[in-house]
Each structure stands twice: as structure tokens, then as C-alpha cells.
Amino acid sequence: MAPRTRDRSPALTVDAVVFGLDDDDLKVLLIRRGAAPFRGRWALPGGFVALDEDLESAARRELAEETGVHDLYLEQLYTFGAVDRDPRGRIVSVAYYGLVDLHDHRLRAATDAADAAWFALDDLPRLAFDHDGILEAALERLRGKVRYRPIGFELLPAKFTLTQLQRVYERILERPLDKRNFRRKVLATGLLEELDEVETDVAHRAARLYRFDRRAYKRLERRGFHFEI
Amino acid sequence: MAPRTRDRSPALTVDAVVFGLDDDDLKVLLIRRGAAPFRGRWALPGGFVALDEDLESAARRELAEETGVHDLYLEQLYTFGAVDRDPRGRIVSVAYYGLVDLHDHRLRAATDAADAAWFALDDLPRLAFDHDGILEAALERLRGKVRYRPIGFELLPAKFTLTQLQRVYERILERPLDKRNFRRKVLATGLLEELDEVETDVAHRAARLYRFDRRAYKRLERRGFHFEI
DNA sequence: TCAAAAGTGTTAAAAATACACCCATGG
DNA sequence: CCATGGGTGTATTTTTAACACTTTTGA
């Protein structure tokens, strides 16, 4: 007994804006479209939502299919629904943004994607659809969120140095941070577990490694915790 | 040349969580459903998105149709897409939340709504669908956002006293605020225009009236401004 | 022994908090 | 003249920001 309206519902897609950190640059994961419209143009990975999968699952599935990237931090961003945003007709897209240690994933384009690659934010190609707007919104959200939620870690390997972490924040916030103040603040959260390990293969004094303590975070989160970098 | 997937897309609705302030209580606007499923049960106002309207327009239209409330502050909240959230089948809902001076609007139920009414948050009826989860998310967002974006005003008439504004914040944040500190802080933002008017019809010294200065806010917003109550 | 990054404390400035009384008005 | 809320300033504490040198390691 479906209402009449349903037969004339907009179609529904998901898109994912995935950020990674490559040495010194914040990068975003794009695919080259293998089909019309915008065939050959770079775009965000994404696609249609199946009837039997929820939205985040759809985003993860499309991402894995089109780029090979899987098991990442992913969060809903915003739903884009301008009437004319897709030349194929009325298509609403639920956008997600994600963070990943890009060295952890070998890219592998498939299905609708002719290619997949990381692009530095200041060297982007023209994008299909309204994807530049989606990317802009994701970046803004990332910049806001990173200041009060501990998500910077997601761009790093499981074990990392404080200097690496500081670089993450500096790249995202686009301003230099004071080393001593940064370390004091980030350690004061109690969310970093100091390991008995140090970097290897560096041509200078090896830095201590830390790990994000998800347990401790869960505990703090429960009590409406809120920090600030 | 629509892709096959589109014919099997989830249906799309919008729902609105509208808050108002009634003397001392934060209230939410609900409608009583006039049709199955959940006929007779209270629910958030909302409905299906037409092909030729964007999402926010759909939310505003449904809200106006079902409750008579229009011209309000409205912002996208989150998109809810669990596979089994609607017994009619696969229906994804883009939720909005809004703030309104509830004394400004006479409720008027129509179309799908058998009734419309304001409910205090601590005296809610059972809600249809997953609407209690949506309401919870809206409340959490409101509590977070009100601290760093000047949206508290939206619950008040255009001209208001500082004590009224303080009460708004106290109700939303659920904690008492210090009168002197509050006034200093809120005036320091430069977002309040002091009027040459005072309250009338009060049985005590009349308080000065203020107005939110949208111009000043626009200016500050441009430079990535950010305040904190 | 040099180069390169790791690691570490203190001081000054700014922001947040706590706190209590007199004032104006209407009934 | 009294009840009610309006309006105002200061001192203390906490938080943030600025700042430079010594240590460790590998090449």
C-alpha cells in the first residue's frame, strides 16, 4: 500500500569525501567516471543506494568498489538535494566524509570508476556534478570538527609520533602550532597511550610512539566530554 | 536513460523538529497522524519530497501544511536511513530542525495531520516511526550549536530583554547562568542592538529591549568568526 | 662532529568565574 | 512602601600564548 508519491520520489545516491595525508599535503580521493554523464571527468566516489542497505553501508560499499578503500572512519556530512544538481534527473545525494591513512590502502578502481587517485587540495581537477561544493562542505566540517573531537588520528598509522600528529593539525587548520603547547594540550586529554617504542629508520633522534586510546575516549564521551585544540 | 537502480530507489521524505519556548519550557511541535501507519499517534511533521522542490522547501511546505508554522529558522540536521525505519517500505528521511517564537504562530492542522500541538520535552507522548531518535538528535544538535552560533534569538520575538535571552540559554543548556557574566559576554559579541525601548506592562522596573543585529553577524561570519557562551 | 629533529618549563596576558548590592517601577 | 526583577564592577582563578635551549641519534 505504497503512497502514490513514492513512485515519483527522487532517486537516492551516496557520495564520499575521503581525506588522506601524504607527507605534507592533505589529499582527497577521487575517481574518474567511466560512464555518462561527465564520463572521463573526476568525481567523488559514490553511487545509488540499494533497497536493502542503509546509507552508511552504501557509502562504504561504493567506496570499496570504486577505489578499494575500506575500513575507515566515516561520518555523514550533509544531504544535497538541489533540483538540478544531476543532469540525469532528480537525484538526491547523502554525502559522507572520511579519514584514512592513505599509505594503508592500495587504490584499485573498478565498476563505474575508470581510475582512482589522490589529489592535493590545491591541485584539484574540475569535478563532475556539484562535487566541488560537497568537497568544500566536507573540508569546512573537517576543520570545525577536528578542533573538538579527536579524529586527527584517523589520518595516521595506529602508532604515531607527536610531531606527526601536530603536522596533521597544522595541515588541516592551515596554521602553525606551538610544539610545546601542542604536546601539553594533547597529552592532557589523556587520550594518548605512550608506548615503549620509538621510530625506526630515521636519521636523527627517534621519537616516541603513541597510540590513540579508544577506551579512554569512550569513557570520556559518555560524560559529555569536550576538548579543544 | 535512467540507470536501472533508480527505479528501485528508496523513497524520500523530510521531517522537521521545531522547537519553541513557552514561558519556562522548551517545547517541540508535533502532529497527530491522520493516516496509517501509526494513525492517531503523534509524530514529527513531514512528508514526501516532490520531484520539483528542493529538500528544505519540502520541509517548509510540509511544516506549513500540517501545522501552519512558516517563516522560521530551519537547518538540515541529519538523514535517517535505517532499512526498517518505516513499515511502509524503504523510506529515507532528511530531517531538519527549526526554531520559532511559538507565540507568533497559531497552529492549524491540515492535510495528513489530524491535530498539531506543542509538547514540553519532559512530557512527550509516544512517537511514530523512529521519531524519538530524530528528536533526540535534534536536541543534541541544538545544545551544541547554541553555544557557538547565535541562534537563541530565533526562539524570541524580534525585540527581547537580556533576561529573556538568558532564560533561552538556560533552558537549552539546562544549567543556570550568571547574570552579570552572561550580559557582559553577549553584549561583547556586538551582535545585539540596544533599542530606545523598554518592556511594557510589567509590575516592576521595565527592562531595556534589544534586537539581534543580522548585519553585524553577516559581517563577522565572513571572517570566520566564532563565539562561545 | 655535524645535521636534524626530540624533548622539555616558565612567565605574561587574557579569559572565565564567582560574587552582592542598589535602583526603578507598579501595585 | 513593598515586592519584583533590572542593572552594574571587581577580585580570583584558570586557561592560553609566547618563547629557546639541551639532548639524542645516525650518517
Side-chain angles (χ1 to χ4, degrees):
Chain A
M1 218 205 67
R4 247 240 276 21
T5 343
R6 268 221 269 169
D7 308 326
R8 310 178 146 246
S9 210
L12 195 64
T13 59
V14 286
D15 287 303
V17 185
V18 178
F19 295 106
L21 197 76
D22 187 16
D23 294 327
D24 269 0
D25 279 325
L26 197 57
K27 297 198 163 177
V28 65
L29 178 57
L30 300 177
I31 57 128
R32 184 146 43 177
R33 291 182 55 82
F38 296 104
R39 180 178 175 142
R41 185 81 71 86
W42 291 92
L44 297 172
F48 288 91
V49 177
L51 280 182
D52 62 350
E53 67 183 346
D54 68 40
L55 300 170
E56 186 174 321
S57 304
R60 289 184 186 277
R61 175 183 53 72
E62 287 285 350
L63 191 59
E65 284 177 10
E66 295 186 342
T67 71
V69 172
H70 55 95
D71 293 321
L72 73 164
Y73 173 85
L74 197 69
E75 181 175 317
Q76 192 181 301
L77 169 64
Y78 195 79
T79 298
F80 294 82
V83 170
D84 60 355
R85 60 174 293 282
D86 192 310
R88 290 168 293 186
R90 186 68 199 288
I91 302 186
V92 168
S93 181
V94 183
Y96 282 76
Y97 76 100
L99 303 176
V100 77
D101 173 14
L102 63 73
H103 301 290
D104 233 34
H105 294 263
R106 196 167 313 287
L107 297 188
R108 182 170 40 74
T111 64
D112 294 340
D115 198 0
W118 292 101
F119 285 83
L121 288 176
D122 51 9
D123 189 27
L124 291 171
R126 280 180 67 203
L127 299 184
F129 306 106
D130 55 353
H131 287 187
D132 50 344
I134 299 180
L135 198 154
E136 197 49 51
L139 200 52
E140 197 178 311
R141 178 81 136 259
L142 174 62
R143 291 209 176 102
K145 192 122 189 175
V146 83
R147 295 167 48 127
Y148 65 95
R149 283 290 131 103
I151 56 177
F153 317 94
E154 307 288 350
L155 292 165
L156 295 175
K159 300 173 182 182
F160 51 84
T161 70
L162 293 183
T163 300
Q164 286 179 298
L165 186 60
Q166 181 175 342
R167 225 189 314 267
V168 167
Y169 279 88
E170 290 179 331
R171 291 299 166 246
I172 295 176
L173 299 176
E174 291 183 311
R175 66 188 161 94
L177 299 173
D178 179 84
K179 180 159 69 159
R180 283 175 285 192
N181 294 338
F182 178 81
R183 292 161 103 91
R184 192 177 327 127
K185 231 169 174 173
V186 85
L187 290 176
T189 64
L191 295 176
L192 291 192
E193 184 184 356
E194 181 177 328
L195 302 176
D196 287 330
E197 290 175 71
V198 294
E199 283 180 300
T200 52
D201 300 322
V202 286
H204 52 79
R205 175 174 177 180
R208 161 148 272 123
L209 292 173
Y210 291 80
R211 179 161 51 190
F212 179 53
D213 186 343
R214 284 168 204 278
R215 255 202 167 65
Y217 180 51
K218 280 274 191 304
R219 243 178 289 131
L220 287 179
E221 213 180 12
R222 231 181 304 264
R223 355 182 141 189
F225 146 85
H226 128 259
F227 85 104
E228 183 85 29
I229 284 293
Chain B
M1 218 202 67
R4 238 219 313 3
T5 344
R6 267 221 270 170
D7 307 326
R8 309 176 147 247
S9 210
L12 195 64
T13 60
V14 287
D15 287 302
V17 185
V18 178
F19 296 105
L21 197 76
D22 187 16
D23 292 328
D24 269 359
D25 280 325
L26 197 57
K27 298 198 160 175
V28 64
L29 178 58
L30 300 176
I31 58 126
R32 184 144 47 175
R33 290 183 55 82
F38 297 105
R39 179 177 175 143
R41 185 81 70 85
W42 291 93
L44 297 172
F48 288 90
V49 177
L51 279 183
D52 61 350
E53 65 183 348
D54 68 40
L55 300 169
E56 185 175 320
S57 304
R60 289 184 185 275
R61 175 184 53 73
E62 286 286 350
L63 191 59
E65 283 178 9
E66 295 187 341
T67 71
V69 171
H70 55 94
D71 292 322
L72 73 165
Y73 174 86
L74 196 69
E75 180 173 317
Q76 193 181 300
L77 169 62
Y78 195 79
T79 298
F80 294 83
V83 170
D84 60 356
R85 59 175 295 282
D86 193 310
R88 289 169 292 188
R90 186 67 198 290
I91 302 186
V92 168
S93 181
V94 182
Y96 281 76
Y97 76 101
L99 303 176
V100 77
D101 172 14
L102 63 71
H103 301 290
D104 234 35
H105 294 263
R106 196 167 314 287
L107 297 187
R108 181 171 40 76
T111 64
D112 295 340
D115 198 2
W118 292 100
F119 285 83
L121 288 176
D122 52 9
D123 190 27
L124 290 172
R126 281 179 66 205
L127 299 185
F129 306 105
D130 56 352
H131 287 187
D132 49 345
I134 299 180
L135 200 159
E136 198 49 52
L139 199 51
E140 197 178 310
R141 178 80 136 261
L142 174 61
R143 290 208 176 102
K145 192 121 189 176
V146 81
R147 295 167 48 127
Y148 65 95
R149 284 289 131 105
I151 56 178
F153 318 93
E154 307 287 351
L155 292 164
L156 295 175
K159 299 172 183 182
F160 52 84
T161 71
L162 293 182
T163 299
Q164 285 178 300
L165 186 60
Q166 182 175 342
R167 225 192 311 271
V168 167
Y169 278 88
E170 290 179 330
R171 292 299 165 248
I172 294 177
L173 300 177
E174 292 184 311
R175 64 185 162 94
L177 298 173
D178 179 85
K179 180 159 68 160
R180 281 175 287 192
N181 294 337
F182 178 81
R183 292 161 103 90
R184 193 180 324 132
K185 231 168 174 173
V186 86
L187 290 176
T189 63
L191 295 176
L192 292 193
E193 183 184 356
E194 181 177 327
L195 302 177
D196 287 329
E197 289 176 70
V198 294
E199 284 179 300
T200 52
D201 301 321
V202 286
H204 52 79
R205 175 175 176 181
R208 161 148 272 123
L209 292 172
Y210 292 80
R211 180 161 53 189
F212 179 54
D213 186 344
R214 285 169 203 278
R215 256 205 165 65
Y217 180 50
K218 281 274 190 309
R219 243 178 287 131
L220 286 178
E221 212 180 12
R222 232 181 301 264
R223 356 182 142 186
F225 146 84
H226 128 258
F227 84 105
E228 183 86 28
I229 283 292

